Amino acid sequence: MMMEYPQFRMLEGTDSLYAIEGPRHAVEFQPLGSTEWLVHAHFASDYPRFVWLQELREEAAQSKAISKEVFFERVHARTVRESSSKLGRFSAAGIETLTLESNVQLKPLTTFGVSSFTRHHTLVRSDEEVRQALMAAEQSSWELLILGGGSNVLLHSDWEGMTLQQGIKGMEVLNDDGNCLEVVVGAGESWHDLVLHAVEKGWNGLENLALIPGSVGASPMQNIGAYGVEVKDRFLWLEAVNRKTGELHRFDHAACEFGYRESIFKQKEKNLWVIVRVAFGLERNAPLHMDYGAIQSELQHLPPQEITHRDVSEAVMRIRRSKLPDPAKLGNAGSFFKNPILDPKAFQEVLSNHPNVIHYPLEGGSFKLAAGWLIEQAGWKGKRRGHCGVHDKQALVLVNYGKATGHEIWRLATDIIDDVRAQFGVELQPEVNQIRVS
Ligand code: FAD
Ligand code: EPU
């Protein structure tokens, strides 16, 4: 199917250009003198602007369709003086042509460090490059794999299609009322760098999520969480390019259907979107989250009224360094399994046979079990098998000692799943995305 978006238009009688990216999104290039552009990104959040954009699309606003080639020829004829869109839509940085590489080793692009070649690979830096990559994949019938930081994937084999690595950078403060901020961040930014930057600036709310590897764009995929906070607690909206139509669409909080390590992008909307930017609501006076026992013990030497958001982020980093392996030294993808959630009846059955099982009551009456405890009790903690094994400080983490293959790690994972089922009657589900050629 041909891409429906973007559509390129020119306002008759002027030199103004529009790249319409979806029913609610357009980028306007407004001439400034004879050599420069002012670039505005428009999101039609209210009805009048939606109608304006619809009219622009339907030629009711004296605009005419132009080809992509004419659009970019005209854009290149001037320089961009000022842009309200620093996040790589159609800004000066965003109109280069896609670079495609062949037979790229993905081992350094993923934290598990498994050897796997991709036939075609591209790093995208703008929405436009995302669309170019989608077109290239569609025209050649290449199966597409989106990669951020590669910290939550296990590659089972070579990838025979195309990998699109998200590299859209940038950050903008869209609103700041003195306490609350709306901050939008390019999907290709590093998550941990965002957290450090926010802590530095006093934009609080993300500090418990320090040191989680990966990209900003992947953070809503599984609603990343740690130490009592999940990304959904600070998420406002995201924008994503539709993999079939090229349309840019905004998903608000409700539309993402967040759950524990879940979102709509792993369920109903799986493999349909490329997330290009994410907006967060941060607060200078955000409450501190210190319920987690380990954070309390880390900070017990400080007078409670003096504890800052930076203290919490540093405590979280110390705790994480003490038990999670550093992927730069030992390949891993964090927790390999989710903590299982059981209904009250199933939980009572496990509890009656294993009174010490570590569990947490959830709203609605169900219970979450500590999968790390189940795996440790089943005797797997610290076990090495071939080139892979179970981490000796955190049994939820499978590790690659250097030469493990995806198959080898998956065989270990399935043996653990079988064993935990046999010993506890509990079914473990992988948390890490299993990447297999379909
Ligand atoms: P990738 O691994 O590149 O991709 C993950 C999935 O998202 C893939 O299916 C991919 O196709 C898809 N995807 C990625 N980017 C996009 C995009 N822009 N658009 C559409 N789809 C996309 N996670 C936690 O929640 N909490 C933790 O405490 C935590 N600790 C970790 C500790 C370690 C040492 C490691 C290695 C991992 C840990 N993780 C944790 C898991 C991981 O860091 C997160 O899931 C992270 O969000 C993955 O980001 P990524 O950019 O590396 O995604
Ligand atoms: N436990 C054991 N043995 C182990 C590991 C854990 O008995 O080998 C017990 C601990 O003693 C503790 C309980 O299990 O009582 C929970 O352990 P921990 O606090 O380490 O957290 P977790 O449930 O194992 C989850 C997330 C982590 C996140 C931490 C901190 C999942 C699947 N994992 O781990 O996320 O960092 O909580 O909030 O929810 C990830 O998703 O990749 C990840 C690392």
Side-chain angles (χ1 to χ4, degrees), residues 227 260-261 292 323 335 337 339 376 381 394-395 431:
Y227 302 100
Y260 164 63
R261 296 296 191 271
Y292 218 85
K323 55 181 169 186
S335 301
F337 304 100
N339 284 325
E376 178 173 353
K381 192 170 184 172
Q394 177 32 299
E431 192 248 59

Side-chain angles (χ1 to χ4, degrees), residues 109-318:
L109 300 182
T110 62
T111 59
F112 240 133
V114 163
S115 176
S116 160
F117 281 87
T118 175
R119 292 294 157 250
H120 310 276
H121 181 75
T122 184
L123 173 76
V124 293
R125 291 152 298 173
S126 66
D127 296 17
E128 179 50 17
E129 286 189 352
V130 169
R131 293 195 183 93
Q132 288 178 21
L134 294 173
M135 292 281 277
E138 187 176 291
Q139 279 162 8
S140 303
S141 303
W142 293 331
E143 199 172 344
L144 191 66
L145 168 64
I146 318 294
L147 269 187
S151 64
N152 206 22
V153 288
L154 177 63
L155 301 159
H156 285 237
S157 57
D158 288 343
W159 185 255
E160 297 301 335
M162 177 183 186
T163 40
L164 180 162
Q165 193 188 353
Q166 182 51 272
I168 296 180
K169 300 286 186 191
M171 176 185 301
E172 282 176 62
V173 176
L174 297 183
N175 288 299
D176 181 354
D177 70 4
N179 177 34
C180 298
L181 301 107
E182 179 178 3
V183 182
V184 58
V185 189
E189 291 285 354
S190 139
W191 174 263
H192 179 57
D193 288 354
L194 167 64
V195 174
L196 289 184
H197 183 76
V199 169
E200 195 58 42
K201 290 269 188 192
W203 304 343
N204 299 313
L206 299 178
E207 51 284 343
N208 294 53
L209 303 176
L211 220 56
I212 297 182
S215 61
V216 166
S219 63
M221 289 292 301
Q222 69 154 5
N223 178 28
I224 56 169
Y227 302 100
V229 173
E230 291 178 312
V231 96
K232 75 171 171 54
D233 302 333
R234 291 290 161 186
F235 175 95
L236 294 179
W237 50 264
L238 63 78
E239 286 178 350
V241 173
N242 186 292
R243 284 172 56 164
K244 284 213 158 59
T245 64
E247 173 199 348
L248 190 66
H249 184 76
R250 189 174 285 208
F251 290 81
D252 65 15
H253 198 290
C256 292
E257 299 184 9
F258 290 122
Y260 164 63
R261 296 296 191 271
E262 277 299 346
S263 76
I264 195 159
F265 304 104
K266 287 178 73 180
Q267 299 292 336
K268 276 185 284 194
E269 301 289 325
K270 191 173 172 167
N271 293 339
L272 295 182
W273 300 93
V274 182
I275 296 169
V276 289
R277 60 190 69 84
V278 187
F280 303 96
L282 307 179
E283 273 175 279
R284 291 190 175 79
N285 298 325
L288 294 168
H289 291 280
M290 299 189 295
D291 294 345
Y292 218 85
I295 297 186
Q296 285 175 11
S297 1
E298 277 289 327
L299 297 176
Q300 64 188 353
H301 63 287
L302 293 174
Q305 66 282 8
E306 285 178 20
I307 296 176
T308 64
H309 298 89
R310 183 189 297 269
D311 293 329
V312 173
S313 74
E314 286 171 358
V316 165
M317 289 193 265
R318 283 196 297 275

